[in-house]
Amino acid sequence: MNDSNELTLREQVSCLREGSLTPKDILDHALSQIEKTESKIDAWQFIADKNDLEKQWSEYKLSSPALTAPGIPIGIKDTIDVAGMPAERGSTIYSGRVPSESATCVQQLSRCGLIPIGKTVTTELAYFEPGKTKNPHNPQHTPGGSSSGSAAAVATRMVPVALGSQTAASVIRPAAFCGVVGYVASRGLFSMRGVLPLALSFDALGIIAKTVDDIFHVSNILQSRNLSGSIAAIKPKTVLAIDGDDYGSVEDEMRYAFDKALDSFADAGIVVKRESIQGSSAWPQLHKDIMAYEAAMNFSHEFDTSQQQLGDAFQSLVVAGRAISMRNRFDLALVHSKAVKQFDALFDHCDAIVTPAATGAAPHGLTTTGDPAMSRPWQLVGSSQCSLPFAQSRNGMPLGIQIIGGRYGDNSLLSIAKWIQEAFSWQSPMPGFLKAKD
Amino acid sequence: MNDSNELTLREQVSCLREGSLTPKDILDHALSQIEKTESKIDAWQFIADKNDLEKQWSEYKLSSPALTAPGIPIGIKDTIDVAGMPAERGSTIYSGRVPSESATCVQQLSRCGLIPIGKTVTTELAYFEPGKTKNPHNPQHTPGGSSSGSAAAVATRMVPVALGSQTAASVIRPAAFCGVVGYVASRGLFSMRGVLPLALSFDALGIIAKTVDDIFHVSNILQSRNLSGSIAAIKPKTVLAIDGDDYGSVEDEMRYAFDKALDSFADAGIVVKRESIQGSSAWPQLHKDIMAYEAAMNFSHEFDTSQQQLGDAFQSLVVAGRAISMRNRFDLALVHSKAVKQFDALFDHCDAIVTPAATGAAPHGLTTTGDPAMSRPWQLVGSSQCSLPFAQSRNGMPLGIQIIGGRYGDNSLLSIAKWIQEAFSWQSPMPGFLKAKD
C-alpha cells in the first residue's frame, strides 16, 4: 500500500479506482501526516473531528462520473464557508462563527467527493496581518498570504489540494513561497457565493496543488462544464517575458533565476519576447486604490463597530478607501478599463506572459507575508494566473515563476503551465536552477 | 398624533426628534397598517413577532448623529440576509433557511436605527418566477419583480423604505409598477455581502421609498461617508431622452406619457435631446447572455442537485449559461467594455438620461412580473438609476419614468431626481398626466 500523501490527487483517484487504496486509507494517511507535521507548520485553523471524518469517509463509494474523487481530503481557506465548521476569517471579530451553509465552490467539490478536512489559516480578513502559519521550507520564514495555510498544507503533503482566494497576491505569493503550484481563476469564472468578499472588482477563487493536472481536475469541477477529465500539455509558441521592475523591487537572485528560466524557454524553441507594458507601472497603485475603496464598503460595519479589533493595516485600508470620493472612483474605473483593454491586446502576439511570481523568496520573519507587488497588475486586469516552483534561493527557499493567461483563457493557461511543469525538472525537492528534463 | 404611515422617513425622523412621535408609535402604526393591508397585497414573506419588535422598539433612543432614525421599520427583500429571520429567497430549496448573520447593508442601517420589521417577497432567486405579491393599485396585476414585496410594502405605506436588489430590472420595474420611487446604486457602490448573488457583473443594491429625499437618507448611510444629511435638488441643464424602442416594445400610452413628460421638461427650460445610442439595440441580449453565464456558475449546485425545485425559467437560465463557452464569455466581455465606454461618453453632453422605466404599466395577471427590457441596457453598464411615478395608464395603473445617471454619479442623479420629483405634481395619488406645479 502506497503512502497516499506522496501521491497527487490524480494518482489518489487512480488508486481508488484500481482498489489499491480505499477512502479510509487516504483519510488515515492525511490525518497521520497532519499529526506529524502540523505542530511545526500551523497550517490549520480547524481540523474536523477524526471520528466524524471516519464516519463520513466510510460512506464514500466510487461513483461513476470520471471527475469524481470519492473521499479525498482537501483544505479550505478560512475565508470560505464550510457548513458546520468554524470560519473565523483570521479576525477575533468572527471568533466562534460557524456558518450553516457551505460556499458554492465547496458544495461543488463535496458533491464530487473532495471533502473538506478542515479550514486553513488565513491572514486577517484575507488582507495583510499574518496568521500563525510558518513556511514549511523554513519555519522562520513567512509562508506568504493570505492563503497561508492552504499553501503550507499542500507543501507538506497534508492534503493534495486546497482552496484559496486572491484579491491582490493571496494565492500566487503563498504558493510561490511554499514551493507549490498556485492558480487564480479569471475574475468571474467561478462562483464567489460563500467566500468572504474583500474587493468586488478583484476577488477571485484560487486552487493550490502539487501539479497543474490536479489544479485542472478541481477547476473542471468548479466550471461545471462537461469538459474532458484531463487537459492537454501545450507548448507555447511565444511568451511575453516581463521582469517585474515596473511593479516592485525584484531581488537579484529572482532576477537571475528568471533570466535562466527564459534561457531555458528559448532553448526549448519558445519565442521569448522581453517587453514591458507601456504605462503599466501605474497599475499596482491603481489596484491598491480600487481595492481600498471596495474594502472600505465591505468592512464598513466592522470598522464602525469593532475598529479596535482590526489590525493597523486593515484600519488604514478602510481609512484610505473612505478618502476616495465617488468622482475619484469613477476616474479609477476609467483608467482600470484602459488597463484591461491594453492587457487583452497583449494576447494578440503571445500565448502567455511569464514573470516572477514574487519579488524573491519568502522573506525571513513572520510579521509580514511579503510583497504583493508582482501580483497586483495581473489581479487588476482579472487575468488567469498560475505560479510554478522553478528554482531555489541561496538559503534554500523556493522561487516561483508566474504564467499569466488571458481573461477566460484559463484552460489555455493551464495547458501551457502543464507543459512547462512537465518539460522542466522543477518539482520538489528543489533542484536548484532549472534545467530541461532529458 | 399623526398617523406616521402617511409620513416619509424624513418626516418620521423629524417627529421623533421633536417628540411628537415615539419609536413605539411608529411601530404600532406600521403594524396596524400591515394588519389592515397585508391580506390583500401579500407583500411579506415574514413579519417579525410583534412582542419581539415591541421589546426591541422600546429600547430605541434618539442618538446624536444627524443620520440616525431610531426605531423606524424597514422592509428587507428576502434575498438579503437578516440575522434570525428566515431568508428563503423565493425558492423551496431554501425552505426554513434562517441565516445567523445580517448582510452588511442591513447591519449599516440597523446601526442607524432603521430596523428590519420583516422580509419582503421576492421572485424565485431574484429571477422571473413570481411570488405571491399583488399590485396595490389592482390586485389582479403584477407588482413587478423581483423586489415585488419591497415595492408593494412601500406603496401601501406599511414601511417608508425597503431594500431590494437588481440584476436586470428588479427594483426599477416593481417601483414603477407600484407607483413608488426606486433607486439602483451604481454597481460596486454598496457592499453586496449577505445579498444572494445572481450575476456578479450586474448585481446591485436598490432602495424603494416614497421620495427621493428618503432614498438619499438611506443611501447616505450605506455610503458610510460623512456627507451632509440631505441632498440639494438640482435642475438638469440637458437630458438625453431615449424612447426605449431600441430595447423593447414600448406601449402606446407609455410613449404618449413619456412624450408629455419631455414637453414638460422643455417647458421648464431643460434642453431635451431626443437621441438613440448607436448599436445599443444589442445591449439587452448582451446583458441576458452575461447574466445567464454568471447565474449558471452561482446556481450550479442547485441545478445539479435540486433541478426539479427550480422553475422552468430558472432552469432555462442555467442551461443557457452553460452553453456559453469561455471563449464566448471573453467575447461578451469585450463588447461589454465597449458598451460601458460608449455609455460613459454620453455624460459629456448631458446631465442625465431619461427613458420609460418599463414598457408600460403593470400588466394584468400574476404569472409574470412584466418585461425587463427597459432596464437591461442600464444595468449592463453599471449605471445609477432612479424611477419616479409620473402618470397613470387608462386603467388607473402607475407609469414610471426613469432617470439614469453615470457610474458613481449617484448623488448627482439623486439631486436631479429630487428636483424632478419636487418640480412636478407627480406624487400619489396619481394625478393623470403630469403638469408642472404652480
Side-chain angles (χ1 to χ4, degrees), chain B residues 166-167 187-188 192 196-205 298 379:
Chain B
Q166 175 160 311
T167 307
R187 195 182 148 279
M192 300 300 284
L196 180 70
L198 179 52
L200 172 77
S201 295
F202 307 132
D203 294 342
L205 211 61
N298 276 322
Q379 203 61 24

Side-chain angles (χ1 to χ4, degrees), chain B residues 9 109 114 161 163 207 214-222:
Chain B
L9 173 66
L109 297 182
L114 290 167
V161 165
L163 288 188
I207 303 166
D214 280 2
I215 281 174
F216 180 72
H217 187 101
V218 175
S219 147
N220 208 4
I221 295 171
L222 295 177

Side-chain angles (χ1 to χ4, degrees), chain B residues 275-342:
Chain B
E275 287 185 22
S276 59
I277 306 170
Q278 216 193 346
S280 67
S281 58
W283 289 7
Q285 186 61 45
L286 179 59
H287 176 274
K288 262 188 213 181
D289 289 343
I290 295 174
M291 183 170 164
Y293 184 91
E294 298 186 342
M297 287 295 172
N298 276 322
F299 293 94
S300 179
H301 186 71
E302 283 81 353
F303 185 83
D304 288 338
T305 59
S306 317
Q307 190 176 345
Q308 307 317 320
Q309 284 173 269
L310 294 170
D312 291 343
F314 207 94
Q315 290 187 37
S316 302
L317 180 73
V318 175
V319 170
R322 287 190 175 178
I324 295 168
S325 70
M326 285 164 75
R327 175 71 224 185
N328 290 346
R329 178 64 187 90
F330 178 64
D331 292 338
L332 293 171
L334 294 184
V335 192
H336 188 194
S337 300
K338 277 185 198 154
V340 171
K341 194 175 173 186
Q342 205 181 345

Side-chain angles (χ1 to χ4, degrees), chain B residues 347-358:
Chain B
F347 289 83
D348 293 343
H349 56 278
C350 77
D351 302 313
I353 295 170
V354 293
T355 175

Side-chain angles (χ1 to χ4, degrees), chain A residues 87-136:
Chain A
E88 301 183 337
R89 302 165 166 172
S91 169
T92 56
I93 294 173
Y94 292 104
S95 287
R97 176 179 177 271
V98 181
S100 53
E101 290 171 310
S102 291
T104 298
C105 55
V106 171
Q107 292 177 320
Q108 289 174 295
L109 297 181
S110 298
R111 180 164 170 268
C112 291
L114 290 166
I115 310 300
I117 199 173
K119 304 298 296 290
T120 59
V121 171
T122 176
T123 59
E124 179 195 33
L125 303 171
Y127 194 55
F128 287 166
E129 188 70 27
K132 62 183 177 179
T133 309
K134 287 104 189 159
N135 193 304

